[in-house]
Amino acid sequence: MNGMLGGWQIAIASACYLGLLFAIAFHADRRAAAGNSLIGHPAVYALSLAVYASSWTFYGSVGRAAADGIGFLPVYLGPTLMAALWWIVLRKMIVVSKANRITSIADFIASRYGKSALLGGLATLVAVVGIVPYIALQLKAVSASLALLQSFPGPLPAAGPVWSDAGLHVALLLAAFTILFGARHLDAAERHEGMVAAVAFESVVKLCAFLAVGLYVSYGMYDGLGALFARAAELPALQALTLPGAGASQGGWAWLTLLSMLSILLLPRQFQIAVVENVSVQHVRSASWLLPLYLLAINLFVLPIAFAGLMRFPEAHANADLFVLTLPLAERQPALALLVFIGGLSAATGMVIVETTALATMVCNDLVMPLLLRLGFFRLAAHADLSAMLLGIRRVAIVALMALGYAYSRAAGEAYALMAIGLISFAAVAQFAPAVLGGLYWRRGNRNGALLGLAAGFLVWLYTLLLPSFARSGWLPASFLDPGPYGQTWLRPYALFGLEGMDPVSHAMFWSMLVNCLAYAGVSLLTRPDALGQVQARRFVDPTQGGPSAWHGAAPAEAMLAVVGRILGPAAAQNLRRQHPQASPGMLMHEAEMALAGAMGAASARVMARSALQQESLAADDMLALLDESAQAIAHSRELEQKSAELERASAELRAANQRLTELDRMKDDFLSTVTHELRTPLTSIRAFSEILRDHPDLPAQKRAAYLDIIIRESERLTRLINDVLDLAKLDAGRAEWHAEALDLAQVVRDALEAGGQLLRDKGIALDADLPTAPPPVRADRDRLMQVMLNLLSNAAKFCSPQTGRIAVVLRREGDALRVTVSDNGPGVRPEDREIIFDKFRQGGDTLTGKPQGTGLGLPISRRIVSHFGGRLWLEDAPGGGARFIFTLPLDTAPQTTPASPLESPP
């Protein structure tokens, strides 16, 4: 071993680093148990999401850039674009998952489509088969970097026996750490705060390590980025890599960008961190810009390192994937090389720990447990404690997954570069997209469509990507690739059905997503979901409304709590009882199932609960659920119709009120204009004649007296106007004074005719009065009734023609009331004005006479006075033309000896 770093140095550094990770995780778990979370900051959430940047990013991006220039960018452009949509997509996924206690991406799919154990198992199978190459990538990167540190500048050693292979030791070590981080205990929420804290710290370490080697290469080996790129441009072999679009077609870029967009959302480890481990949905807002910033920073020096490596090692056999580590070693920088190794170890361990934890949860909850629960031989429902079994299954699954990853990495050898292996896994998890995104936004999507779509897409991916990788590794004959199986060229996996001109990943994505989407949409449109599928569709598509409980009937509460106690422990069962003391059996069963789903998945939780409660038959429950769902849908529809009708009524009322306010505003403007004019007219006259009297003291006595009479009349007019306004204000405010007494209404009318007679005589208007001599008394305020009569007389005189006008006043008894009629032979009032003239500030009139004089307050005041004493005032057409105002007052029923007293203001 001739490397500049000894094995003991590497071992001590690695052990110290892994020990630090465990200490961070242990501290975070203790803080979480004490109720003081260490991962509650948005920055920690964003850094933990950077688990996306695995050893593929740390090592493989440089290798891709060395071959394709900027062709490595789509893998990071996709997450950046998806981050812009996180507030719409990821936020909804988090809300739905928390409401349904989702534990994994497979559990998400199974729960959405009727808690289907079959669909959850298929999703788990797809994830395991698709992610095992990705785990192999991490093991390959760590073992290769370790071998390079120990052997440089000599060649990498050939693979030895399995038991002496450093890759096996790394796999076992990572399996142990994954068990410590992700399978130490059972949690109803499947939260691992210690793991999240450790992963966030690892993200900082790998970023610092990559930036350190990038800065050294750019400014230590060269005089800056400008000098480095100028030197690269001088070499013909590197000139093509400096051009935009080098190494990838536009179609390839588009497919890789779409692939990475889906992967940042659907990779099991990303779902685990982004959804299951999420502390607050508000953190998504910060992560949507922090993660793209992180990806920009960690890719900042990819091209400089790739170009520096190609210039430093022009020989063709150099491994470009390891340029990040080879350059510091070649420049005799052992400390920097060790830092880079720790950074690569961080990238690999973070990915492996989270990915394997998520996959082990899926294998346990959605594959093994549903099988064991449905096999009556094991009688799991009768076990007193299943928590130890669940943990055991997960730990075995972690070891098995690590062993599969090691086996793949050893068997694949050097046939694939790191990025090629990663893209195979990306294409596998992309098959979840129709079921997941369709399940979030399309209620018609059902279990049959999701099952057939996922199976079809997975089989196409298997044929067009995974099996060709086996052929290139020597596991299958080379003829599988060309000319194709059985010599059929149209079956070539890289040119299926004669589709050529695409890179392998774009080709596989095209065919797999095409059949997946068509099968999902087509089958969902042709079939109907079952009852539980309808309930879950509502829960996922519209999480704000939720859905009815899927449990009906009276299940014993103790049996339900016993199920929770056997899985999560007695403390969890007691806590459930305390949280829902008044819950019905059906609702308690629903809450118990949700608690179980957090520990063993939705499908397993439902099977376990049904088995424990002896509800094996699904038909009756499904029928009840369907009827309940239908009834709720009908009730909801009726409620919507009722609310719609109420909304229409409210809208109509608002429109009417708005029109009324608009009209009142116009009336107010008219009133202010009229009052201003009416006030200005007498004031102008008073001022003008007063100035004449002041400026001409020698005026004849006759003219002086005439001018003084005008001033007096205008003052009286001004006083009447002010009194009208004040009267109306008092009436509106309820502060008017009323002095009711028994009155002879005929005498009140005679007094009013006498008071207003001079006005009528001045205009030459004839007056006819028909009044009885002794009518029954009424109880009212004499001054107020005089005001009413004078208003009606002046109103009639205003519209009568001088010299030819005629006014008739008639008083008659009408049942228990007296009726007064004031008629004139004027132009009358238009039908559309007969009611509005009783509104404040409104006046009647026609187009010939124009707007009449006055303020428009007399009639509103008169109607309020009459109404206060129990009467009515209205308008009719007079026989032969003109207007006829009528008011009635009830007869006085009080004893005549009762003295009159002031009345209270109207309510």
Side-chain angles (χ1 to χ4, degrees):
M1 193 174 300
N2 55 0
M4 69 176 63
L5 288 172
W8 63 272
Q9 294 174 305
I10 301 171
I12 291 176
S14 301
C16 290
Y17 177 69
L18 293 176
L20 178 61
L21 287 183
F22 183 75
I24 292 173
F26 183 74
H27 177 65
D29 279 338
R30 291 191 63 181
R31 288 277 297 269
N36 187 14
S37 176
L38 194 65
I39 65 173
H41 197 277
V44 177
Y45 179 67
L47 285 172
S48 63
L49 285 172
V51 71
Y52 177 82
S54 64
S55 63
W56 172 7
T57 297
F58 199 84
Y59 294 115
S61 292
V62 174
R64 177 86 174 201
D68 297 334
I70 61 174
F72 74 96
L73 285 178
V75 178
Y76 307 100
L77 290 176
T80 302
L81 294 175
M82 179 56 77
L85 302 174
W86 270 355
W87 191 244
I88 300 173
V89 181
L90 180 58
R91 181 170 65 99
K92 186 174 185 180
M93 291 176 68
I94 293 173
V95 171
V96 168
S97 297
K98 289 184 182 298
N100 292 272
R101 305 287 181 89
I102 303 299
T103 60
S104 65
I105 185 71
D107 192 28
F108 186 94
I109 295 173
S111 181
R112 162 59 179 87
Y113 298 99
K115 303 183 181 181
S116 169
L118 180 60
L119 188 54
L122 176 61
T124 301
L125 182 64
V126 172
V128 169
V129 175
I131 298 301
V132 161
Y134 209 169
I135 296 174
L137 183 154
Q138 314 306 313
L139 300 178
K140 179 182 177 181
V142 175
S143 60
S145 60
L146 180 60
L148 181 63
L149 277 179
Q150 294 176 316
S151 64
F152 190 87
L156 291 176
V162 172
W163 58 85
S164 64
D165 189 356
L168 176 62
H169 303 156
V170 171
L172 294 176
L173 184 64
L174 291 180
F177 267 82
T178 303
I179 291 173
L180 290 175
F181 280 111
R184 282 191 295 133
H185 54 80
L186 200 63
D187 186 4
E190 278 303 327
R191 295 273 306 281
H192 310 87
E193 293 206 6
M195 180 182 72
V196 174
V199 168
F201 177 76
E202 285 183 313
S203 296
V204 176
V205 171
K206 63 192 177 189
L207 177 61
C208 291
F210 199 88
L211 290 177
V213 70
L215 290 170
Y216 173 76
V217 168
S218 301
Y219 298 96
M221 295 176 59
Y222 295 89
D223 293 332
L225 292 174
L228 191 156
F229 282 107
R231 177 71 180 279
E234 295 174 357
L235 302 177
L238 299 184
Q239 285 182 352
L241 298 181
T242 62
L243 298 176
S249 64
Q250 293 182 355
W253 270 62
W255 280 110
L256 287 179
T257 302
L258 174 63
L259 187 60
S260 55
M261 286 181 67
L262 298 177
S263 298
I264 192 68
L265 197 67
L266 303 176
L267 278 167
R269 72 175 186 274
Q270 297 302 137
F271 188 91
Q272 179 74 31
I273 293 294
V275 177
V276 179
E277 305 291 349
N278 177 268
V279 175
S280 170
V281 73
Q282 296 301 321
H283 290 176
V284 175
R285 194 185 299 274
S286 300
S288 63
W289 64 268
L290 283 174
L291 182 64
L293 187 63
Y294 182 96
L295 295 178
L296 173 64
I298 204 169
N299 285 285
L300 206 56
F301 292 103
V302 168
L303 279 177
I305 294 173
F307 289 169
L310 289 172
M311 291 185 288
R312 183 66 174 78
F313 307 105
E315 58 271 16
H317 65 272
N319 188 348
D321 284 337
L322 296 177
F323 279 169
V324 177
L325 188 58
T326 308
L327 287 171
L329 289 173
E331 296 297 318
R332 305 192 65 80
Q333 299 291 330
L336 180 59
L338 187 59
L339 176 62
V340 171
F341 172 75
I342 294 299
L345 183 64
S346 294
T349 54
M351 178 273 173
V352 169
I353 289 172
V354 181
E355 199 80 81
T356 312
T357 298
L359 287 177
T361 301
M362 294 164 64
V363 169
C364 175
N365 293 355
D366 297 283
L367 198 61
V368 177
M369 284 302 296
L371 288 175
L372 295 180
L373 287 171
R374 291 186 180 277
L375 294 176
F377 174 77
F378 293 95
R379 299 178 60 81
L380 294 185
H383 286 214
D385 185 6
L386 289 177
S387 58
M389 176 181 288
L390 289 171
L391 283 175
I393 293 172
R394 295 184 184 188
R395 291 167 181 170
V396 171
I398 288 172
V399 175
L401 289 167
M402 209 67 71
L404 287 173
Y406 170 72
Y408 185 93
S409 68
R410 186 174 176 87
E414 301 301 322
Y416 273 87
L418 296 182
M419 181 163 280
I421 297 176
L423 290 176
I424 292 175
S425 297
F426 273 23
V429 298
Q431 305 309 315
F432 295 146
V436 171
L437 298 179
L440 279 174
Y441 297 101
W442 190 38
R443 188 175 291 189
R444 284 288 301 274
N446 60 40
R447 186 184 75 96
N448 296 330
L451 193 62
L452 188 59
L454 183 57
F458 174 63
L459 290 176
V460 173
W461 167 84
L462 194 74
Y463 184 80
T464 56
L465 267 187
L466 188 62
L467 293 182
S469 74
F470 292 168
R472 295 181 61 176
S473 301
W475 301 356
L476 292 176
S479 61
F480 179 78
L481 297 176
D482 194 12
Y486 310 106
Q488 302 296 318
T489 57
W490 61 277
L491 290 178
R492 286 177 297 167
Y494 287 160
L496 192 61
F497 301 116
L499 181 62
E500 298 181 352
M502 302 176 72
D503 63 88
V505 175
S506 301
H507 174 268
M509 278 291 293
F510 172 78
W511 284 115
S512 62
M513 295 304 293
L514 178 65
V515 299
N516 193 336
C517 293
L518 288 178
Y520 173 72
V523 175
S524 295
L525 289 173
L526 294 175
T527 61
R528 292 183 58 83
D530 58 12
L532 186 56
Q534 295 180 38
V535 174
Q536 291 302 101
R538 174 181 293 181
R539 289 181 181 274
F540 278 63
V541 175
D542 192 0
T544 58
Q545 290 193 7
S549 172
W551 292 96
H552 303 269
E558 294 303 323
M560 303 173 193
L561 297 174
V563 174
V564 178
R566 288 201 299 271
I567 305 298
L568 301 176
Q574 294 173 5
N575 186 47
L576 187 65
R577 186 198 298 272
R578 286 195 301 269
Q579 290 178 347
H580 307 281
Q582 305 296 328
S584 64
M587 183 55 65
L588 188 59
M589 186 64 238
H590 172 72
E591 295 298 330
E593 184 186 355
M594 288 295 100
L596 293 177
M600 59 191 307
S604 298
R606 190 157 188 84
V607 173
M608 188 68 189
R610 283 188 178 279
S611 177
L613 297 175
Q614 290 83 40
Q615 294 187 10
E616 297 293 342
S617 175
L618 296 176
D621 281 352
D622 288 344
M623 183 61 70
L624 289 174
L626 180 60
L627 291 175
D628 184 60
E629 176 77 4
S630 300
Q632 290 208 9
I634 294 172
H636 183 62
S637 177
R638 290 176 178 172
E639 183 180 353
L640 286 177
E641 291 178 359
Q642 182 179 358
K643 289 183 178 179
S644 177
E646 293 175 357
L647 183 60
E648 289 180 1
R649 287 195 296 271
S651 299
E653 293 175 0
L654 285 174
R655 286 194 298 269
N658 184 58
Q659 293 174 356
R660 179 64 175 167
L661 287 174
T662 303
E663 181 67 12
L664 288 175
D665 187 65
R666 189 190 66 79
M667 290 163 55
K668 180 257 299 179
D669 292 340
D670 289 347
F671 168 71
L672 291 176
S673 176
T674 301
V675 169
T676 302
H677 174 74
E678 293 295 331
L679 288 172
R680 186 184 296 115
T681 300
L683 285 174
T684 301
S685 298
I686 292 172
R687 179 178 177 178
F689 285 105
S690 298
E691 289 176 350
I692 292 174
L693 293 175
R694 183 197 64 188
D695 296 338
H696 300 83
D698 55 347
L699 281 175
Q702 184 177 2
K703 283 190 176 183
R704 180 181 294 274
Y707 292 165
L708 288 174
D709 288 340
I710 294 174
I711 292 174
I712 292 171
R713 287 198 302 272
E714 294 299 324
S715 299
E716 292 174 346
R717 178 181 173 188
L718 184 61
T719 301
R720 286 195 301 271
L721 176 61
I722 294 174
N723 287 337
D724 282 347
V725 174
L726 292 177
D727 278 347
L728 184 62
K730 289 181 180 180
L731 289 170
D732 284 341
R735 296 195 305 268
E737 294 182 0
W738 307 89
H739 302 280
E741 59 181 334
L743 296 175
D744 182 347
L745 186 56
Q747 187 58 46
V748 173
V749 173
R750 292 189 189 96
D751 294 343
L753 293 176
E754 183 178 351
Q758 187 59 44
L759 172 65
L760 303 181
R761 287 190 291 273
D762 290 344
K763 296 187 67 175
I765 298 174
L767 174 65
D768 296 329
D770 185 0
L771 306 175
T773 55
V778 296
R779 180 164 291 274
D781 187 319
R782 171 176 168 65
D783 293 338
R784 295 293 185 182
L785 289 187
M786 282 285 292
Q787 185 178 0
V788 171
M789 284 301 304
L790 290 174
N791 278 334
L792 295 180
L793 289 172
S794 63
N795 188 71
K798 182 167 53 178
F799 288 97
C800 284
S801 299
Q803 308 307 322
T804 60
R806 179 175 295 277
I807 297 176
V809 179
V810 179
L811 172 63
R812 291 286 184 269
R813 177 170 180 169
E814 191 177 76
D816 294 332
L818 293 183
R819 170 184 170 124
V820 178
T821 302
V822 179
S823 304
D824 63 67
N825 63 348
V829 180
R830 295 177 300 181
E832 59 267 25
D833 292 338
R834 289 180 185 172
E835 192 59 34
I836 64 173
I837 60 174
F838 290 101
D839 291 340
K840 292 178 291 185
F841 320 133
R842 300 297 292 268
Q843 294 177 285
D846 57 29
T847 58
L848 297 177
T849 61
K851 183 177 179 180
Q853 295 181 350
T855 62
L857 298 178
L859 289 177
I861 292 174
S862 299
R863 173 172 274 189
R864 288 179 178 238
I865 293 172
V866 172
S867 297
H868 177 78
F869 293 111
R872 291 177 58 232
L873 170 61
W874 70 95
L875 169 66
E876 294 179 355
D877 283 336
R884 180 165 62 179
F885 285 90
I886 305 169
F887 72 88
T888 60
L889 288 173
L891 299 178
D892 181 21
T893 57
Q896 295 299 316
T897 58
T898 302
S901 62
L903 297 178
E904 297 294 332
S905 300

